[in-house]
Amino acid sequence: MTYANPHAPEDAFLETFPGAMALDLGVRRGLIDRIALDGAVPVDALNLPAEAAFFPVLLERAGVVVRTGDALSLTDAFARVWPARRTALAHKLRFLKAVSVDLAMGMSDLVGDLPTFMKQAHSFDIFDYSHALKTDADALARTQIWCDYVAVLTETEAPEITAAIDLDPGARVLEVGGNVGVLASAIMTAFGAEVTVLDLPGVCELGKRRNAERASGARPTFVAGDARQGEWDELPGAPWDAVLFKSVLHDWPEDQRGTLLDHALAALGPGGQVIIAERGPLEATGPLPYWLSADLVFAPFYRSGEWYAAALRARGCEVTQFTPDLGLPFHITVGVKT
Ligand SMILES: C[S@@+](CC[C@H](N)C(=O)[O-])C[C@H]1O[C@@H](n2cnc3c(N)ncnc32)[C@H](O)[C@@H]1O
């Protein structure tokens, strides 16, 4: 493993806590934009108090800026990332900051009292799915925060997932918990498939808005509902050739993961595919960059590829697995219903 997601070059600037915090402040104060626009900015022009001389030094050590004489400019490496990945950086930094507080204050609960950790964690407050049951402006604003974050992650994972799976042109795919349709749209484009996303009402509303301008061949259909209710063969768009779960099953207790897989297989005919893309448990080797903290709060819920393969085999599927190199443990498990 290379320990870097090739589609997420911004992670190189989220390797350390001090570097990431300096970058966050530089972005929020408009400093990064200013340096990018002007090419070079004298340190004096930043109007920092003398005691804050360490701040541009942090940005230098984080590889964001380089100092020539008394002027700061973006490093070539950061200039290549900015501005194309600025949105990704903003969403990742927002979540990382919440996680940092949670880990600093709650590591003991994370390893010893998970329910208390989850009740107190800012990161789980961000991922409060109950807001997505409503579609008023306030509820959508709350829902958008975590939808934007997972969309940024999925944008960088979708190329590896579409490279691993195989679907016929015109295949009908149900993506359960497909969020705002990032992977769904990528699959439509890659295979000429028809993808329907089943997700909560607020998420579907945001997904429709996000994809409204897309060409019909890349615009998923959104169906609002509760995936736990099953009977997916009765949803608009059925019958399905494949049911897809991407970073969804780990959200549920193990028995409910099994129920969701049962729902999927009940909605498929022989030859139909269940496609599962999930992060795996933390591995013992490799670096521990700051950006990896974002996954630690979910670490108790990740299961190995073997766990998912066994769950599909137990339900009569023939299983194939892929492990794309996304900088962290990640597995794609495809079960074909026999
Ligand atoms: C961790 S996110 C993953 C989103 C997306 N698959 C991705 O990887 O970007 C889990 C998704 O499951 C959805 N979800 C949660 N509870 C659900 C339910 N009861 N029925 C349908 N979708 C649900 C959430 O709204 C969210 O979009």
Side-chain angles (χ1 to χ4, degrees):
M1 195 186 291
T2 57
Y3 301 109
N5 180 335
H7 312 288
E10 67 279 4
D11 287 352
F13 302 94
L14 302 175
E15 291 209 333
T16 70
F17 178 75
M21 292 306 102
L23 175 57
D24 182 56
L25 186 61
V27 170
R28 286 191 293 112
R29 287 209 173 166
L31 176 64
I32 302 297
D33 269 337
R34 185 170 166 200
I35 299 176
L37 278 173
D38 293 356
V41 173
V43 178
D44 287 350
L46 301 182
N47 294 323
L48 294 168
E51 311 84 65
F54 69 90
F55 175 60
V57 175
L58 272 179
L59 288 172
E60 288 179 80
R61 287 188 58 165
V64 173
V65 301
V66 61
R67 193 183 300 237
T68 311
D70 71 343
L72 300 175
S73 50
L74 299 187
T75 61
D76 289 346
F78 190 74
R80 280 195 294 275
V81 167
W82 186 266
R85 301 297 297 162
R86 66 180 297 157
T87 306
L89 267 173
H91 293 309
K92 286 185 174 186
L93 279 163
R94 181 181 202 156
F95 193 65
L96 275 168
K97 286 197 289 181
V99 164
S100 302
V101 176
D102 295 341
L103 294 179
M105 305 306 291
M107 193 74 174
S108 166
D109 286 334
L110 180 61
V111 300
D113 183 355
L114 197 50
T116 298
F117 179 82
M118 290 174 71
K119 209 158 87 191
Q120 294 177 347
H122 300 279
S123 38
F124 283 91
D125 195 33
I126 288 174
F127 270 92
D128 181 349
Y129 294 145
S130 67
H131 297 296
L133 298 174
K134 294 182 283 180
T135 54
D136 61 86
D138 280 353
L140 287 183
R142 288 290 301 258
T143 299
Q144 178 128 31
I145 294 172
W146 52 267
C147 284
D148 283 347
Y149 175 62
V150 298
V152 154
L153 300 183
T154 301
E155 272 164 13
T156 69
E157 294 158 352
E160 302 296 328
I161 297 171
T162 53
I165 65 176
D166 193 19
L167 293 162
D168 290 333
R172 291 163 171 271
V173 180
L174 176 66
E175 187 181 2
V176 179
N179 202 254
V180 291
V182 171
L183 179 57
S185 180
I187 286 177
M188 292 179 77
T189 307
F191 299 102
E194 298 286 332
V195 186
T196 297
V197 169
L198 170 62
D199 210 303
L200 301 172
V203 176
C204 287
E205 180 57 33
L206 293 173
K208 283 181 201 163
R209 293 182 191 179
R210 183 184 172 110
N211 291 279
E213 305 296 319
R214 286 191 194 277
S216 58
R219 191 171 62 233
T221 302
F222 289 87
V223 175
D226 183 343
R228 289 169 293 184
Q229 288 176 352
E231 305 195 339
W232 300 341
D233 51 345
E234 292 180 10
L235 294 175
W240 309 112
D241 299 298
V243 177
L244 168 62
F245 302 94
K246 146 80 175 67
S247 303
V248 162
L249 292 172
H250 73 261
D251 270 347
W252 299 95
E254 287 185 4
D255 58 331
Q256 291 188 45
R257 294 180 206 195
T259 305
L260 290 170
L261 292 179
D262 291 336
H263 289 331
L265 285 156
L268 290 168
Q273 302 183 54
V274 180
I275 303 169
I276 301 170
E278 275 286 345
R279 290 170 186 221
L282 191 65
E283 288 173 350
T285 52
L288 271 181
Y290 174 57
W291 56 259
L292 204 60
S293 312
D295 260 7
L296 288 189
V297 292
F298 303 119
F301 310 106
Y302 294 145
R303 297 290 176 271
S304 65
E306 292 72 38
W307 190 92
Y308 286 102
L312 287 173
R313 283 198 194 97
R315 290 169 172 78
C317 293
E318 280 171 11
V319 174
T320 317
Q321 253 181 349
F322 309 87
T323 49
D325 192 352
L326 283 164
L328 39 68
F330 196 97
H331 45 81
I332 299 165
T333 310
V334 180
V336 176
K337 182 171 173 173
T338 51

